[in-house]
Amino acid sequence: MNPITTSADLKAAIYLLELEQKENFIALKEELSRTQENFKLINIIKSTFKATVDVPDLKTDIVNAAIGLTTGIVAKKLIIGKTLNPLSKLLGVALEMFVANKVSKNAVQIRSTGSVIINKLFSHKDKAEKV
C-alpha cells in the first residue's frame, strides 16, 4: 500500500477499510447462518442417516444380522422350549447368542449352501415330474 501523505489519501484508505469491514461482517453473518442451520437437530439426524446409508455393504450386514438373530431365536425355542427353570433360560440365551453370532458371521456360506440344497431338492422334483 502506498504511504498516506494527504488527508484525502487518509479518507480514501478509511473508506476502503470500512468497505472491507462491511464485507467481512456480511460473510461472517452468512457463515453463522449456515452453521446454525447445520446444528439444527433435524439436519444432524439427516446427515448422520445419509452417512450411515452411504456405508458400503450396509444392507448385506443388516440382512445377515437379522438372519442370525432369527436363527438364534428359533434354535433357542427348538432346543430349550418353554421353561421356568432359570438355569435353562440362561442356557437358552447363551445358545441364542452363540447361534446368532455364528450364523451372521457365516451367512454367505450358509446362504450358498442353502441355495444348493434347495436347487437339488427342486431339480429332483422337476426330473421326477418330467418322467
Side-chain angles (χ1 to χ4, degrees):
M1 186 170 191
N2 296 334
I4 299 172
T5 56
T6 65
S7 64
D9 290 343
L10 180 61
K11 285 180 183 179
I14 290 172
Y15 179 75
L16 290 175
L17 287 173
E18 286 174 348
L19 281 179
E20 184 180 344
Q21 182 183 21
K22 286 179 184 177
E23 290 173 359
N24 287 342
F25 184 70
I26 291 171
L28 182 64
K29 282 175 52 176
E30 290 173 356
E31 185 65 29
L32 178 63
S33 176
R34 282 193 298 269
T35 302
Q36 285 176 332
E37 189 68 26
N38 287 337
F39 277 113
K40 286 184 179 178
L41 182 60
I42 190 72
N43 291 334
I44 292 173
I45 292 170
K46 283 181 185 178
S47 64
T48 304
F49 184 73
K50 283 180 184 177
T52 304
V53 171
D54 290 342
V55 173
D57 300 329
L58 178 67
K59 199 183 302 183
T60 305
D61 292 343
I62 290 173
V63 169
N64 291 347
I67 291 170
L69 287 173
T70 305
T71 308
I73 292 170
V74 169
K76 176 184 164 189
K77 293 288 183 187
L78 287 175
I79 294 176
I80 304 298
K82 292 183 179 180
T83 183
L84 298 175
N85 185 350
L87 188 60
S88 294
K89 285 184 178 182
L90 184 63
L91 180 65
V93 170
L95 174 72
E96 179 181 346
M97 292 299 125
F98 176 77
V99 170
N101 186 24
K102 290 298 179 185
V103 169
S104 66
K105 286 186 178 180
N106 300 313
V108 175
Q109 293 88 356
I110 292 171
R111 196 177 300 138
S112 64
T113 304
S115 65
V116 167
I117 291 171
I118 289 173
N119 287 338
K120 285 186 179 183
L121 288 174
F122 287 117
S123 68
H124 288 299
K125 188 176 182 180
D126 290 341
K127 288 178 184 177
E129 289 176 0
K130 288 181 183 177
V131 175

